[in-house]
Amino acid sequence: MSILVLKFGGTSVSKKSNWDNISLIIKERLGRVHKVVVVCSALTGISTKLENLTLAAAKGDYQEKLQEVKKIHQDMCDELGIDFQEILGPSFFEFEKLLCGVAILSDAGPKNWARILSFGELFSTLLGSAYLKKQQVSNAWLDVREHMLASEYETGSLKKRYLEALCECDPDEVLQTKLNQHKENVFITQGFIARNSAGETVLLGRGGSDVSASYLAAKLRSPWLEIWTDVPGMFSANPKAIPEARLLKELSYDEAQEIASTGAKVLHPRCIAPVQVHKIPLHVYSTERPD
């Protein structure tokens, strides 16, 4: 039974009209596959704000930045018509306790950095899951850290181990069976985060949601992988800077890797290898223009 992975980036999950499109996309894909896993980034700009908040917490003066992050999520909940306190209240309570601990210890080290930044994806998937249920898209919220284990580094800095983790991408029959036997056909989960062997939160590097989606597609033997963003594919140049840039309708994995590695923002360079190894086609679409 096929399980499709769809990844939606920060711009894709940051306004109601896009979530309405996400709802329609999921419903359409369920007509073609058995199950769908939806991987979400944090709301646009939130990861940077969380970095600044972490630094402020270590200096003991973070309330203003905390309230800014909170208001962005409250406004998003208001736009979606869901109750902030019900959906995000418990997570924000845990989040604020963590920030308080960082302030007391004056510690913004890699371990706390990873824990604080992980909340961006946790918040976005919780509110997304709630909104999709309002749209009659029944779904289960999954904590990706239960299924994404970071590889152990024999060498490397503490920063690299917590903030630039790598994961295995071999097919995972346990995960496949768990999802296939679950009563729900749609699963909402996070990009960017994983866990280490000690059960601690680690990050896959900035922009790592693409990488998470690629790992999951490989683990689940997905028939293809879809990356949904704010442009309808890869171009010959940056279309925002060069209007004559051409949409490249088809690329080999190596060609896509070269373009991603030389600065294209559409795909994270590390997301291509897992699908290339397992010969999984990768499609790029625009959330605002799904057709």
Side-chain angles (χ1 to χ4, degrees), residues 130-159:
Y131 184 68
L132 289 173
K133 288 174 183 175
K134 275 190 62 178
Q135 299 301 106
Q136 284 73 55
V137 180
S138 182
N139 67 85
W141 183 87
L142 294 181
D143 188 333
V144 77
R145 293 170 294 188
E146 296 177 7
H147 311 290
M148 196 75 73
L149 178 65
S151 304
E152 291 296 322
Y153 288 97
E154 291 185 8
T155 59
S157 68
L158 200 64
K159 180 178 178 181

Side-chain angles (χ1 to χ4, degrees), residues 6 22 24 32 35 37 85 89 100 115 120 129 137 163 166 227 229 255 273 289:
L6 312 175
I22 291 170
L24 294 173
R32 299 161 59 186
K35 306 248 182 183
V37 174
Q85 195 55 44
C100 182
R115 290 179 68 194
S129 175
V137 180
L163 306 183
L166 302 173
I227 301 289
T229 181
E255 289 167 335
R289 298 160 58 196

Side-chain angles (χ1 to χ4, degrees), residues 67-85:
Q67 293 310 313
E68 182 184 2
V69 169
K70 192 175 227 180
K71 186 177 188 306
I72 290 170
H73 289 89
Q74 286 174 325
D75 290 347
M76 190 68 205
C77 286
D78 290 344
E79 185 179 347
L80 296 177
I82 58 178
D83 186 276
F84 171 85
Q85 195 55 44

Side-chain angles (χ1 to χ4, degrees), residues 153-227:
Y153 288 97
E154 291 185 8
T155 59
S157 68
L158 200 64
K159 180 178 178 181
K160 189 174 184 66
R161 294 203 299 272
Y162 280 99
L163 306 183
E164 298 175 19
L166 302 173
C167 298
E168 297 298 327
C169 60
D170 294 329
D172 185 339
E173 292 187 6
V174 173
L175 178 57
Q176 292 170 35
T177 299
K178 177 179 179 177
L179 298 192
N180 276 319
Q181 292 180 347
H182 199 287
K183 67 176 184 176
E184 298 290 359
N185 290 331
V186 179
F187 305 90
I188 312 299
T189 196
Q190 308 78 37
F192 184 51
I193 63 177
R195 79 180 195 282
N196 61 20
S197 58
E200 299 167 321
T201 298
V202 298
L203 307 180
L204 305 184
R206 287 301 296 267
S209 291
D210 286 354
V211 184
S212 300
S214 186
Y215 284 151
L216 284 170
K219 285 174 171 286
L220 295 169
R221 296 180 182 270
S222 294
W224 69 92
L225 167 64
E226 295 183 7
I227 301 289

